Amino acid sequence: MAGAQAKPKRGPTPAPLPDPVRAIYSTGMERQRPLLDQLLISADRALRSLLAPAAAGRPTPGSPAPVADDAERRSTAGLMRVNHAGEMAAQGLYHGQALVARDPETRAMLEKAAREEADHLAWCEQRLAELQDRTSRLDPLWYAGSFAIGAVAGLMGDRTSLGFVSETERQVERHLDGHLEQIPPTDTRSRAIIEQMRDDEVTHGQAARAQ
């Protein structure tokens, strides 16, 4: 239409801004988290590990298998309590390393491993309940000490931290093999849990060496 003013052309629609909450908590992000955010996340993880009932993201391996012999039940429960304490320590170790990791990809690998170790924690806790036994009263000590060790290893650099993971997982694999030799073949539930834990530890060590 003659005399009408032409409408100004619009440029391309700008991309939406990222969700700040997702940016903070995503393990696959490309930038470093602010230190305060990382400290708050670490505190939340510690409280969940120590105070909240353990929850697994995967089904518990095996089927419930009662142990008829009371001596075997006590012996197996003792081994599973040791494993539970070890998984509590693993939580602290990975959380401490993730807190100070420099490379986002390294942090993502450590956090993924920690989530799988949380499955181990829940499985051991469940098996102890099935065996009518309890977890260690020293769990807070295991977590705090391991968190400190993990943070120190992480402060020495990501390569050192990953090397520490690789060697630790190798030792844990041998430790679990020893437990499998002690648990009777009839206790299929405990054996299935420990076998899956061992397989995960092998995977964690391989992931650390591949970084």
Side-chain angles (χ1 to χ4, degrees):
M1 180 176 174
Q5 293 183 348
K7 293 183 179 180
K9 294 183 178 179
R10 294 183 179 180
T13 303
L17 294 174
D19 179 352
V21 175
R22 182 176 299 172
I24 290 172
Y25 288 92
S26 170
T27 58
M29 60 185 233
E30 297 179 357
R31 63 179 179 82
Q32 290 285 354
R33 294 173 184 152
L35 178 59
L36 178 59
D37 292 335
Q38 188 61 30
L39 288 172
L40 291 173
I41 292 169
S42 295
D44 176 73
R45 287 173 178 156
L47 291 173
R48 289 175 183 271
S49 296
L50 293 170
L51 302 179
R58 293 175 288 173
T60 305
S63 300
V67 180
D69 184 272
D70 193 59
E72 285 187 354
R73 181 191 63 79
R74 291 196 303 270
S75 175
T76 300
L79 295 175
M80 296 307 290
R81 186 182 305 109
V82 169
N83 288 330
H84 182 274
E87 296 304 330
M88 183 64 73
Q91 289 287 289
L93 189 69
Y94 278 121
H95 292 166
Q97 290 175 286
L99 172 64
V100 297
R102 293 165 173 79
D103 178 46
E105 289 187 5
T106 298
R107 179 182 294 125
M109 174 258 152
L110 293 167
E111 290 175 342
K112 180 178 184 294
R115 288 193 296 274
E116 292 177 349
E117 299 285 356
D119 288 348
H120 302 174
L121 193 70
W123 298 341
C124 290
E125 190 171 309
Q126 179 180 344
R127 187 55 180 154
L128 280 167
E130 292 171 353
L131 294 169
Q132 302 174 14
D133 217 303
R134 58 171 178 78
T135 60
S136 172
R137 294 190 176 95
L138 297 178
D139 281 348
L141 179 62
W142 308 141
Y143 183 93
S146 297
F147 185 95
I149 292 171
V152 169
L155 288 171
M156 296 173 69
D158 286 351
R159 298 310 306 169
T160 299
S161 184
L162 291 168
F164 185 76
V165 169
S166 175
E167 181 56 31
T168 299
E169 297 293 23
R170 187 178 289 114
Q171 297 292 335
V172 172
E173 181 187 352
R174 287 201 287 264
H175 163 83
L176 294 175
D177 281 336
H179 280 197
L180 285 171
E181 293 176 359
Q182 299 177 61
I183 294 177
T186 53
D187 187 354
T188 55
R189 171 75 128 188
S190 298
R191 295 184 65 84
I193 290 172
I194 293 175
E195 287 168 355
Q196 183 59 58
M197 288 167 55
R198 181 192 58 192
D199 291 347
D200 288 345
E201 308 299 356
V202 171
T203 300
H204 298 165
Q206 291 172 343
R209 291 188 288 275
Q211 285 290 310

